Amino acid sequence: MRAVDLIIKKRDHQELSREEIEWFVQNFTRGVIPDYQAAAWAMAVLLNGMTPREITDLTMAMAHSGDVLDLSQVVPIAVDKHSTGGVGDKTTLVVEPTVAACGLAVGKMSGRGLGFSGGTLDKMESIPGYRTDLTREEFLHQLRTVGLVLSGQSGDLAPADGKLYALRDVTGTVQSIPLIASSVMSKKIASGAQAIVLDVKVGLGAFMQTIEEARQLARMMVSIGELSGRRVVALLSDMNQPLGQAVGNSLEVKEAIATLHGDGPGDFREHCRAVASHMLVLGDRASSIEEARRRVESAIDEGAAWERFRTMVASQGGDVSYIDEPSRLPQARLVEDVAAPQSGYLSQVHARLIGEAAVRLGAGRAQIGEAVDHSVGILVHHKVGDRVEQGQALFTIHANDESKLEAARTELLESVRWSSTPVSPLPLFYGVVTAENEEELPVHP
Ligand code: URA
């Protein structure tokens, strides 16, 4: 086989066989196929699409390009969740302890933030001592004994995806539904998930800007799940405006702690309850969404979800005195409100612009490997549809540098749009895609 022939086949809208896809992925991972050929191939896929069968073969080839965890000896069913990334998305911090408190053990390998979207590991590292670098043995031991782990990747999982994703990032080939679907699902399959709840974000702060694109991506991932023997449900959720109020690492941990205590912003609370309920149903811990919701609500109301979070933090070396008293978590030196310059109804609170402002304050990184400042970030006090009076606080900026604070003030004011007439609030969810309402659809851009 020659790489050039496989590029030409995709360029000419032909379907690749499983053997061809496996050969391509193996040889790219080993460095035999150079980056320029892999980039040309990725561009051909972006332009001409792939069939569901090709996408499933690509997913499985990438999943098996490195270690594949088998959790079946440790938990009866390994259920995972995955968000396609957003601003203020601290859902994992609340959902995982909640479902663990309902009897469903979860071991999650999360990532770091890159670009405007935050990462769970950066958030958890706001807690002094918390270790995100568990070995595979530590990960499995904690999953068995505590029933809850939140760590970074252990082992060499889906290295083909790591390499291809880095290449896509610099060759304009990220925005491809077949490539995003296979990237996400290969990592989940390699990390041992047998059932997965996908939180597919749509809107101004997401990869998928339209509901139709998000639905296509969701359908594709559900179809990969079916073809590869995993149960998958995808929720299409709004990412036009940030989720909850807090954007920035320790601010988000504080908001997650409040939510685990039954408080927290209403949209975030509701989002977590929906995701957790779907996980319980998928993991056979509830027979309906209604029953799952009741269990989720009691786990939070009775303090069991909070206790699980606390136990997990302690098991991973975190100092629980900081989460027992969240005001001790990293705190920025400068804290200032941004006042509304006019009265009116908010018609836009742009998630990506707010995420970018938080990154420039130091909450995120522009390059892999950069350090983040856990203390800085933004509180977003209003949602689309709110009536706001001139002078009321729209945002609160937490910063450690005066000039960055002033820059953020300007950027935040540019992120909002006003209307003189009432505006409807944005929905939290746009739909749920399950295998039952799956349609066979070849994916074209
Ligand atoms: N997240 C991933 O893991 N992969 C993609 O391709 C896009 C988002």
Side-chain angles (χ1 to χ4, degrees), residues 165 168 179-180 183-184 187 207:
Y165 191 78
R168 286 166 56 211
L179 295 179
I180 296 177
S183 164
V184 168
K187 283 181 287 225
F207 281 120

Side-chain angles (χ1 to χ4, degrees), residues 22 38 56-57 70 91 149-150 185 189 211 213 242 250 267 269 278 328 331 349 357 362 394 400 404:
E22 285 174 352
T56 304
D57 289 341
D70 178 8
T91 308
V149 197
L150 194 43
M185 293 298 287
I189 291 171
I211 296 169
E213 280 175 334
S250 75
D267 65 328
R269 251 190 355 244
H278 280 281
R328 296 185 60 211
Q331 172 66 43
V349 183
L394 275 180
N400 282 321
K404 288 185 182 173

Side-chain angles (χ1 to χ4, degrees), residues 8-24:
I8 289 169
K9 258 183 129 172
K10 274 329 299 172
R11 183 198 67 191
D12 294 346
H13 299 265
Q14 292 174 37
E15 197 170 335
L16 297 178
S17 69
R18 174 183 295 175
E19 290 68 34
E20 286 170 328
I21 290 173
E22 285 174 352
W23 181 87
F24 195 89

